[in-house]
């Protein structure tokens, strides 16, 4: 087994341990089909039906663990006449996107996108029932059903300032089609990001594996290269997490 495959397998099982503790019947389906809409529809349907009241479901950790990676980037992206465009890909029922909307001192338009209409509907109903006051009154928040390997159907080129990915790339890499779909997602992110924008990937995958894959995949895209960096988020429940920052740059 290669170092990449070993790291990916460990990363995948850490995700499974977090999400299938009370969903043992979903284990096999998640292992084999983490890239499928039907799998996540079932997961969020069962997860929501198991509790009498709505509760956000967090992959890895919540907003407080990563706010110091996100909010400073927003401070550097201020537009005089436009909202800062933030995209949370594979949002599920996480509170990450709504928390960015709530805590950003600068005006932001936060789009929380997921392939599962069940997750999107749950979040829309939650926000309608319990309104979240934004720190900046001009900020906006929306939830959309969107296959994030097809971002160009929703966004124009160079139109997004910040993309946040908390576990979505990990899920794609763990699926049967693996690196192909994850590479397509990366390609789409680089296409819709502004030249000074950033993609933040939060993952428990070791930098030796993820940095190599990001650098290679970005270079293989052809039309767009990228600068890639990593910072340690910290250790939680015995697992070390990382923030991978990818910034697009034109190929000269």
């Amino acid at each position: 087994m290669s170092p990449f495959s070993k790291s990916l397998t460990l990363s995948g099982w850490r995700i499974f341990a977090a999400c299938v503790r009370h969903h043992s019947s979903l284990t096999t389906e998640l292992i084999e089909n983490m890239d499928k809409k039907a799998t996540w529809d079932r997961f969020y349907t069962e997860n929501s039906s198991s509790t009498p009241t709505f509760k956000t479901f967090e992959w890895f950790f919540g907003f407080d663990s990563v706010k110091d990676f996100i909010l400073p980037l927003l401070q550097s992206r201020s537009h005089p006449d436009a909202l800062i465009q933030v995209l949370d890909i594979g949002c599920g029922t996480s509170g990450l996107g709504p928390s960015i909307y709530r805590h950003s001192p600068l005006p932001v338009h936060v789009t929380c996108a997921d392939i599962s209409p069940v997750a999107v509907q749950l979040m829309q109903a939650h926000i309608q029932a319990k309104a979240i006051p934004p720190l900046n009154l001009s900020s906006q928040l929306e939830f959309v059903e969107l296959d994030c390997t097809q971002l160009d159907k929703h966004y124009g080129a160079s139109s997004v300032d910040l993309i946040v990915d908390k576990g979505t790339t990990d899920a794609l890499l763990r699926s049967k089609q693996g690196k192909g779909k994850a590479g397509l997602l990366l390609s789409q992110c680089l296409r819709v990001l502004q030249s000074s924008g950033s993609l933040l990937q939060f993952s428990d995958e070791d930098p030796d594996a993820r940095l190599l894959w990001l650098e290679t995949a970005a270079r293989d895209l052809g039309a767009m290269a990228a600068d890639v960096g990593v910072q340690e988020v910290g250790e939680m429940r015995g697992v070390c997490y990382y923030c991978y920052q990818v910034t697009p740059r034109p190929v000269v």
Side-chain angles (χ1 to χ4, degrees), residues 58 74 86 96 143 190:
E58 299 294 348
L74 298 179
V86 180
L96 180 64
F143 298 89
L190 291 175

Side-chain angles (χ1 to χ4, degrees), residues 113-149:
D114 200 277
I115 196 174
S116 169
V118 176
V120 171
Q121 291 162 12
L122 285 168
M123 290 303 291
Q124 287 173 333
H126 172 60
I127 296 302
Q128 289 173 359
K130 187 177 181 180
I132 298 175
L135 186 58
N136 189 297
L137 295 180
S138 296
S139 291
Q140 300 174 11
L141 174 66
E142 68 171 336
F143 298 89
V144 298
E145 180 187 347
L146 180 65
D147 182 344
C148 292
T149 63

Side-chain angles (χ1 to χ4, degrees), residues 16 19-20 26-34 39-40 43:
F16 302 150
C19 72
V20 302
L26 271 174
T27 302
T28 301
E29 186 174 347
L30 279 169
I31 291 172
E32 296 180 352
N33 299 297
M34 295 188 78
T39 301
W40 295 112
F43 172 77

Side-chain angles (χ1 to χ4, degrees), residues 74 82-88 97 100-101 104 106-112 138-144 154-155 160-162:
L74 298 179
L83 298 173
I84 301 169
Q85 297 295 321
V86 180
L87 172 61
D88 177 9
I100 296 173
Y101 164 78
S104 174
L106 294 172
V108 292
H109 182 135
V110 180
T111 302
C112 301
S138 296
S139 291
Q140 300 174 11
L141 174 66
E142 68 171 336
F143 298 89
V144 298
H154 191 83
Y155 290 98
V160 180
D161 297 290
L162 176 64

Side-chain angles (χ1 to χ4, degrees), residues 121-242:
Q121 291 162 12
L122 285 168
M123 290 303 291
Q124 287 173 333
H126 172 60
I127 296 302
Q128 289 173 359
K130 187 177 181 180
I132 298 175
L135 186 58
N136 189 297
L137 295 180
S138 296
S139 291
Q140 300 174 11
L141 174 66
E142 68 171 336
F143 298 89
V144 298
E145 180 187 347
L146 180 65
D147 182 344
C148 292
T149 63
Q150 300 176 16
L151 292 178
D152 55 0
K153 292 186 177 181
H154 191 83
Y155 290 98
S158 304
S159 61
V160 180
D161 297 290
L162 176 64
I163 300 176
V164 181
D165 170 354
K166 185 158 70 78
T168 300
T169 291
D170 293 57
L172 290 178
L173 285 171
R174 190 61 181 83
S175 70
K176 287 182 178 179
Q177 297 185 29
K179 286 185 280 186
K181 279 197 171 181
L184 181 57
L185 174 60
L186 177 62
S187 172
Q188 289 282 296
C189 288
L190 291 175
R191 180 185 182 278
V192 304
L193 276 172
Q194 296 199 29
S195 59
S196 56
S198 292
L199 162 66
L200 297 184
Q201 288 186 353
F202 295 103
S203 173
D204 66 348
E205 187 173 9
D206 188 271
D208 287 344
R210 180 57 63 90
L211 284 174
L212 176 61
W213 177 75
L214 282 170
E215 291 167 352
T216 302
R219 185 172 61 247
D220 290 347
L221 295 176
M224 183 70 71
D227 296 317
V228 182
V230 62
Q231 298 180 68
E232 188 173 310
V233 175
E235 185 174 309
M236 283 158 273
R237 298 181 298 277
V239 178
C240 191
Y241 294 94
Y242 303 92

